[in-house]
Amino acid sequence: MNNILNNKFYLLWEKAANFFLLNLLWVIACIPIVTIFPATAAMYGVIREWKMDGETSVFRPFWNNFKLHFKKSLLFEIIWVVIASLLFYDFQIVFQMTSAGFIPVKILLVLITATFLCMSTLLFPLIVQYDSKLKDSIKNMFIISFAYFPTTLLIVISGVILFLVVYILPITLFILVSLYGYLNFHLSHQVFTKIEKYRLSVSNK
């Protein structure tokens, strides 16, 4: 009995240590700022290997995934930063307008921003799961995020909670990001599995 408890405790401690190390590597890789997206893609790549291949190591898989997804994730970073900057700039202007005529514009801007956030939840899971072209990845993000909206909403809410916790307690940045990444990939992978099963059933008819 004691051996079983010791084994469970060891496995739990090993997982906790791996999440902490992964999170630490992510923070270090994000220090140049411009490498935030490649670092996040690398983190998701490690999580994918944990889930799909039963991998338990951290350092080598992280740097392998960093190099593997660097170009694609950096391109997405440029696109995402431009879009986010434009949305932020538009919010600054539009929501200062008090005229009732701007209400439809405000509603449209909120809807566009919400769409952008929903699509963003699938960005890194799709990068590490599929070797798709840029336009195909963006199209898939849009379709999947709304076709499986309850899952998307859950991921968004979890992300908002993460942001609030890290904002209140910045030290939690060193553990919560990898845990959120695991939750995000787990939920996204469930969606990917459903899609693959559907495609397989259709192709077999």
Side-chain angles (χ1 to χ4, degrees):
M1 184 68 177
N2 287 335
N3 288 335
I4 294 175
L5 291 175
N6 288 336
N7 287 337
K8 288 184 177 180
F9 178 78
Y10 174 79
L11 291 174
L12 182 62
W13 174 252
E14 182 183 37
K15 288 181 179 180
N18 283 343
F19 273 108
F20 175 77
L21 288 174
L22 179 59
N23 216 129
L24 183 61
L25 283 175
W26 177 79
V27 171
I28 293 172
C30 285
I31 289 175
I33 305 299
V34 295
T35 56
I36 290 178
F37 272 49
T40 307
M43 180 184 69
Y44 274 80
V46 174
I47 291 171
R48 181 183 182 278
E49 291 185 21
W50 287 353
K51 186 172 180 62
M52 305 290 292
D53 305 326
E55 181 65 59
T56 58
S57 55
V58 179
F59 292 96
R60 182 176 293 180
F62 183 88
W63 295 117
N64 287 342
N65 278 283
F66 186 87
K67 291 182 289 185
L68 178 64
H69 303 297
F70 183 83
K71 290 182 179 179
K72 187 174 183 179
S73 58
L74 192 60
L75 181 57
F76 269 114
E77 180 173 1
I78 294 170
I79 296 171
W80 250 239
V81 168
V82 170
I83 295 174
S85 299
L86 288 173
L87 288 173
F88 178 78
Y89 180 72
D90 289 340
F91 262 97
Q92 293 290 95
I93 295 176
V94 172
F95 279 84
Q96 288 180 0
M97 305 297 181
T98 56
S99 173
F102 281 94
I103 292 179
V105 178
K106 292 178 181 179
I107 293 174
L108 179 62
L109 185 57
V110 169
L111 290 175
I112 292 173
T113 303
T115 300
F116 178 69
L117 288 175
C118 289
M119 291 175 63
S120 298
T121 62
L122 289 169
L123 175 59
F124 295 105
L126 276 171
I127 286 177
V128 301
Q129 183 70 17
Y130 299 108
D131 184 20
S132 305
K133 294 180 179 179
L134 178 66
K135 64 177 182 178
D136 292 331
S137 296
I138 294 175
K139 180 183 70 175
N140 290 334
M141 272 183 259
F142 178 79
I143 295 173
I144 296 174
S145 62
F146 287 99
Y148 295 86
F149 186 72
T151 300
T152 302
L153 184 61
L154 178 58
I155 297 173
V156 170
I157 292 173
S158 301
V160 171
I161 293 173
L162 167 71
F163 176 81
L164 292 175
V165 172
V166 172
Y167 180 78
I168 297 170
L169 296 171
I171 191 66
T172 58
L173 179 72
F174 287 90
I175 185 62
L176 289 185
V177 175
S178 58
L179 290 174
Y180 172 76
Y182 187 88
L183 173 65
N184 187 345
F185 184 81
H186 174 73
L187 294 173
S188 299
H189 185 259
Q190 287 183 333
V191 170
F192 299 157
T193 301
K194 290 177 182 177
I195 293 172
E196 292 301 326
K197 287 182 178 178
Y198 175 76
R199 286 178 176 173
L200 186 61
S201 65
V202 170
S203 62
N204 289 335
K205 287 183 180 179

